[in-house]
Every structure is written in C-alpha cells, then in structure tokens.
Amino acid sequence: MARVDVSSLSSAEARSVLGDISRVRQWMSALESSVITRMKEVAEPEIVAVDLAAVGRMNRGQVRGAMERAETLDQFGLFAGALAQGHITTAHVDAVSRGLKTLGEEGAGLVSAQSALLEQACVLPADQFGRFVTNEVERQSTLKANQEFGDQRRATSLKWWNNKQGMVRLSGAFDPERGALLVGRQVARHQADDQGIVAREYEIDQHDRQ
C-alpha cells in the first residue's frame, strides 16, 4: 500500500484501498492487544498504563480503552482471531467489553456465548452489534434473576413455637415476593388495629364529654 498512487485511483480502487487500510488497522489493534496482555504478565497494570501513555502516545481514555480491549480479547479468543483477520473492528470488541462490564461477575455467560456473538459481529455494523450485545446481556440478566428467584422460593422456611409466656414466636425466610406480601399484610393489620383503638378512645372521650 505504500506505493499506491492516490491521485490515480478510481472510485472502486479507492474503496478497495480503504478496505485494505481497515484490515491493517484491525490487525494492528489485535497485535497491540496481544502485546498489552504480554506486558501485563511481566509488569503491574499501573506500569503498563504508564508505558502505553509514554511509548504509545495515548491519552488516559485511550489507555483505558486499549487495556479493556486487551482484557476482553484475552477472554474471547475467537474475537481476537477475527479482529486480526479484519473480519470485525475494535468497535465490535468494545461492545463486548461494555457487556462484560455490565454483567460483572456473571460475565462467564457472555464468554460462553462468544461463538454466537461472533457470528453476529461478522455481519452486523458495530452500532447494530452493540444493540445485539445489550439485548443478550439483558437476556442473561433476566435468566440469572429468574434462577435466583427460584432458588429463593425453594429455600422458603417458617417455624413457630410458644415461649414460656405463651407468646407465639415466628422465625423464617421468604423470597422477596412472599416476604413483601407477608410484611404488607402484617403492617396493614397493625395499622388497622391502631386506628380501631384510636376510634374507640375518641368515642369514649366524646361520651364522657356528654
């Protein structure tokens, strides 16, 4: 490409050169991520960040993005290969990074789905792929929440006994839905009882005044 005579390019040739430039750019990004991963194996992250800023001439935001991208590609080997071959762009990788950040400790589900994600990344523009990742993150979050709710419901327990004074004592654990329902009913009944007491005291007071 160094010998390309830009002044003589036709429209079709210019598009072809742009495609070549994009593929080289993605290959360089993949190589950069591999180098960062290696640097993190032999030096502390803080030192790597300083080196990226100094040697790579990156600002703080670029350093953070490059390190996050390297960490993502270290987990998503299929994406690393696709980026090196120019099948996807760094924007696709960054969309996955955002998804991992959203899921936090539950990011393993996204890693296990990388084949399906890559299939979409190879055919979708980066912005559309970003929405696809967001939908997948929401789907996995919902599945996790449903699983946790099911575990909570199965762990429901209730014990009761009478103490020495004859009072009934309760001890239990409830899922959020049943727990909120139980507490709500008890609070409503307690408020109703208090209102009844106030009403009776008012009636007595009025009677005494007569």
Side-chain angles (χ1 to χ4, degrees), residues 71-81 96 100 107 110-115 117:
E71 185 174 350
T72 297
L73 290 176
D74 191 39
Q75 299 178 71
F76 286 73
L78 296 179
F79 273 72
V96 176
L100 285 174
L110 204 62
V111 177
S112 64
Q114 66 174 297
S115 295
L117 290 174

Side-chain angles (χ1 to χ4, degrees), residues 91-180:
H92 290 87
V93 179
D94 292 344
V96 176
S97 296
R98 291 191 296 271
L100 285 174
K101 186 178 295 185
T102 300
L103 286 172
E105 296 180 357
E106 305 302 328
L110 204 62
V111 177
S112 64
Q114 66 174 297
S115 295
L117 290 174
L118 181 59
E119 183 178 347
Q120 295 299 318
C122 288
V123 298
L124 292 177
D127 57 341
Q128 293 183 23
F129 177 69
R131 290 192 289 272
F132 179 84
V133 173
T134 298
N135 291 337
E136 176 62 19
V137 168
E138 291 177 351
R139 186 187 71 83
Q140 292 198 15
S141 298
T142 300
L143 287 175
K144 179 63 177 178
N146 290 339
Q147 179 181 353
E148 289 179 348
F149 181 76
D151 292 341
Q152 291 171 335
R153 175 148 289 187
R154 285 188 291 272
T156 296
S157 63
L158 176 63
K159 296 186 296 183
W160 62 91
W161 66 95
N162 293 92
N163 63 15
K164 294 180 179 180
Q165 290 75 36
M167 298 291 289
V168 177
R169 304 297 299 270
L170 300 175
S171 175
F174 304 91
D175 62 77
E177 182 182 31
R178 287 174 174 169

Side-chain angles (χ1 to χ4, degrees), residues 27-87:
W27 174 81
M28 292 178 64
S29 295
L31 178 60
E32 178 186 73
S33 293
S34 296
V35 172
I36 292 173
T37 298
R38 175 54 184 164
M39 291 173 68
K40 290 170 64 177
E41 293 174 353
V42 297
E44 294 297 324
E46 294 79 7
I47 297 177
V48 175
V50 171
D51 287 342
L52 287 175
V55 181
R57 298 185 177 182
M58 299 180 183
N59 60 36
R60 186 174 300 178
Q62 290 172 325
V63 169
R64 182 172 58 252
M67 293 188 70
E68 288 179 353
R69 194 175 302 125
E71 185 174 350
T72 297
L73 290 176
D74 191 39
Q75 299 178 71
F76 286 73
L78 296 179
F79 273 72
L83 182 64
Q85 296 172 18
H87 297 319

